[in-house]
Amino acid sequence: MSEKHSIHCPARDIPVRAEADVLVVGGGPAGIMAAEAAAGDGLRVMLVESRGFLGGNLTIGLPVLGFLGHKGTQIIKGLPQNFIDRLRARGAASEHRPCALHMSLTIIDPEEAKRTALEIMEEKGVEVLLYVFCTDVVKEGDDVKGVIIESKAGREAILARTVIDCTGDGDVAFRAGVECRKGDAEGGMQPPTLMFCMKGVDVQRLRDAIVGHPDVYDMDVMPPEQFRTGKFITVGLRTQIRQAQAAGYRIPVARTILITGLADDEIWVNMTRVNGVDSTRPESYTHGEIEGRKQVYEVERYLREFVPGFAGAHLEKIAPFMGIRESRVIVGKYVLTAEDILEDRRFDDAIAVAGYPVDIHHAKGGDCTLYWCDDCYDIPYRTLIPAHVGNLLVAGRCSSMNHEAMASTRVMSTCMALGEAAGRAARLALKAGVQPADLDVEALRAELRATGAYLRD
């Protein structure tokens, strides 16, 4: 049937599954930090997640970028650093290594990230509920009073005094009537990537080729010496891609992006790209997953044929889901802009500091454009607060940023810092008996400082 039509569902009572003080929706990098930060003071904190594990993009083979700023200073600390410390204690994370292109990279083990996230929730007394989707909200006037979830148990409600939207797609905010935007002026969004892992890679041979023959194996703006030792990420080898394309290979990107894993022969590959995917539309997201999986095998073939060190390598695993770079963002009390980033702006209500470049993967074609700030910039508390809806905070890549600014704030270290700020804000606001929008921001900033966060003071 081509015509759209509708059916009428009769009204029915929805059972209340639980009542919480703070409900965090979405268990990715922002969500696990928000839940951890909200826990305490005798509050009942719940975290709901649609997948069967916590961690979100921490679990798909990506490095964590941006813990360091342009000048090498660590600018993301607090709970995000504690999370990395726990991984490092298990040999499941690298140090923060400076990178000329990405400011810094931190390699993590995806499976240990899942384990550590669940351990922290258990230690903090956070109630975790997996395999549930947020499908609607409960509102009284302009205030959110909870959410409606769907699962194999049916439709249920979870009521909460404060809700934190960490869905990445702004699902709670959108259903609560918060103004949301997607993409650039034409609606074009940064395309997603399906990560995959190669094992049996001769990483030393790849190093030697980049360091010894930079004229052949170019690395864009990164100096060849950066690849001599330690963990690294390649962004370049454009000539090899052009050669492969001339030979009939269908490579969707202009640059070869490879990330060393924790194992000596392991490389994670960030080279699939499906333009036009909208993760808020299931048919579009489905197309992205199917096409991305097809691209994996073509890129694998390219690597073995054209890139040093891959001739004897094999495909080890594919990430459990695509990494979404962009979808909905809210319009909050303040909308962060690229000018704020590139001018290293400070804000009186800063609750996080970031320094990752404005990294825009083009909505059309296969290339990227990057702009760097001189050092780092502040993110104000107002970006977490929807303009006209109460009892709701929004943290992560769906916070209040325009298209260009979100191309910087979307990285996991920054999302983790925003999640921590949102969780602490929710707890402090309840303690003070005020809405999150009316919280004394200096009290929040004082707690962030006292618990190890970096605020450029």
Side-chain angles (χ1 to χ4, degrees):
M1 291 182 291
S2 59
E3 287 187 22
K4 288 188 175 182
H5 63 290
S6 62
I7 62 170
H8 174 71
C9 288
R12 58 179 173 143
D13 291 333
I14 298 174
V16 176
R17 168 178 277 271
E19 297 185 36
D21 295 300
V22 179
L23 172 64
V24 181
V25 183
I32 56 180
M33 296 293 105
E36 181 181 2
D41 294 338
L43 297 182
R44 183 180 185 185
V45 178
M46 292 189 67
L47 172 62
V48 298
E49 164 59 41
S50 61
R51 298 186 173 94
F53 53 86
L54 300 181
N57 280 358
L58 289 164
T59 71
I60 65 173
L62 287 166
V64 184
L65 306 176
F67 264 94
L68 307 183
H70 197 79
K71 296 181 178 179
T73 302
Q74 184 166 345
I75 57 175
I76 305 287
K77 297 184 179 180
L79 294 185
Q81 180 59 47
N82 292 349
F83 190 88
I84 298 298
D85 288 342
R86 291 179 68 133
L87 291 177
R88 289 198 70 186
R90 287 182 167 145
S94 71
E95 74 286 354
H96 305 311
R97 181 161 193 211
C99 176
L101 196 63
H102 306 95
M103 303 304 94
S104 69
L105 68 152
T106 310
I107 310 298
I108 62 170
D109 182 288
E111 295 305 319
E112 288 295 339
K114 297 176 187 177
R115 175 187 179 189
T116 300
L118 284 169
E119 284 180 347
I120 292 172
M121 296 305 101
E122 185 175 15
E123 291 167 9
K124 295 296 182 180
V126 175
E127 299 176 49
V128 176
L129 186 62
L130 304 175
Y131 299 114
V132 297
F133 281 90
C134 169
T135 58
D136 208 343
V137 298
V138 181
K139 284 184 73 179
E140 290 183 7
D142 292 330
D143 294 342
V144 174
K145 295 296 184 178
V147 304
I148 306 298
I149 58 170
E150 290 273 5
S151 71
K152 291 193 177 185
R155 177 171 287 195
E156 300 171 298
I158 300 178
L159 304 182
R161 296 166 68 192
T162 302
V163 177
I164 308 177
D165 184 344
C166 296
T167 60
D169 294 321
D171 292 335
V172 180
F174 177 73
R175 285 162 176 77
V178 176
E179 181 183 355
C180 296
R181 298 172 181 170
K182 287 193 291 190
D184 58 21
E186 298 177 351
M189 291 181 283
Q190 296 190 66
T193 289
L194 182 61
M195 297 286 293
F196 67 96
C197 176
M198 300 282 288
K199 292 293 286 290
V201 181
D202 187 343
V203 175
Q204 189 57 50
R205 186 177 176 196
L206 177 60
R207 288 183 195 278
D208 292 343
I210 295 169
V211 174
H213 304 282
D215 54 326
V216 177
Y217 304 105
D218 65 293
M219 281 298 115
D220 283 11
V221 304
M222 292 184 284
E225 288 301 310
Q226 182 172 310
F227 301 91
R228 191 175 294 279
T229 60
K231 302 300 179 183
F232 62 82
I233 178 170
T234 73
V235 180
L237 295 125
R238 293 174 182 264
T239 300
Q240 283 62 45
I241 287 181
R242 287 193 292 267
Q243 290 173 349
Q245 290 170 334
Y249 286 69
R250 298 181 305 278
I251 308 301
V253 290
R255 306 179 299 176
T256 303
I257 304 178
L258 309 171
I259 304 127
T260 49
L262 290 172
D264 292 339
D265 66 339
E266 179 182 62
I267 291 284
W268 283 88
V269 183
N270 182 348
M271 290 183 63
T272 67
R273 171 178 293 197
V274 188
N275 293 334
V277 170
D278 182 346
S279 61
T280 68
R281 295 170 50 231
E283 71 279 11
S284 179
Y285 205 168
T286 299
H287 164 71
E289 292 281 355
I290 293 171
E291 178 60 27
R293 196 163 286 267
K294 291 177 181 177
Q295 291 179 6
V296 163
Y297 298 100
E298 186 76 344
V299 173
E300 175 200 14
R301 197 165 68 97
Y302 152 73
L303 292 171
R304 283 206 294 259
E305 183 68 23
F306 290 90
V307 178
F310 281 86
H314 64 274
L315 176 63
E316 175 74 5
K317 56 188 169 185
I318 300 174
F321 60 89
M322 297 191 89
I324 301 298
R325 291 186 173 90
E326 181 174 15
S327 59
R328 296 189 195 104
V329 293
I330 70 161
V331 176
K333 297 284 188 181
Y334 185 83
V335 178
L336 194 76
T337 68
E339 289 73 26
D340 294 329
I341 292 170
L342 299 178
E343 295 178 14
D344 298 339
R345 283 188 182 153
R346 291 177 178 263
F347 293 91
D348 290 341
D349 62 337
I351 43 77
V353 177
Y356 188 73
V358 175
D359 178 9
I360 302 176
H361 291 243
H362 298 171
K364 299 176 182 178
D367 216 335
C368 306
T369 300
L370 288 93
Y371 306 95
W372 290 266
C373 60
D374 291 332
D375 186 10
C376 54
Y377 60 92
D378 290 351
I379 301 178
Y381 178 60
R382 289 164 291 161
T383 61
L384 309 183
I385 305 295
H388 304 294
V389 173
N391 291 345
L392 178 64
L393 289 145
V394 181
R397 64 174 172 83
C398 49
S399 297
S400 183
M401 326 285 178
N402 70 9
H403 170 68
E404 293 78 16
M406 199 279 304
S408 170
T409 61
R410 63 181 171 80
V411 294
M412 289 186 283
S413 63
T414 305
C415 290
M416 293 168 85
L418 295 179
E420 177 179 2
R424 295 194 184 282
R427 180 169 44 75
L428 290 174
L430 288 174
K431 188 176 180 180
V434 299
Q435 287 257 4
D438 299 322
L439 176 65
D440 177 1
V441 180
E442 279 307 314
L444 172 59
R445 283 163 51 82
E447 176 162 315
L448 285 165
R449 291 190 201 96
T451 50
Y454 177 72
L455 296 179
R456 288 211 285 183
D457 295 322

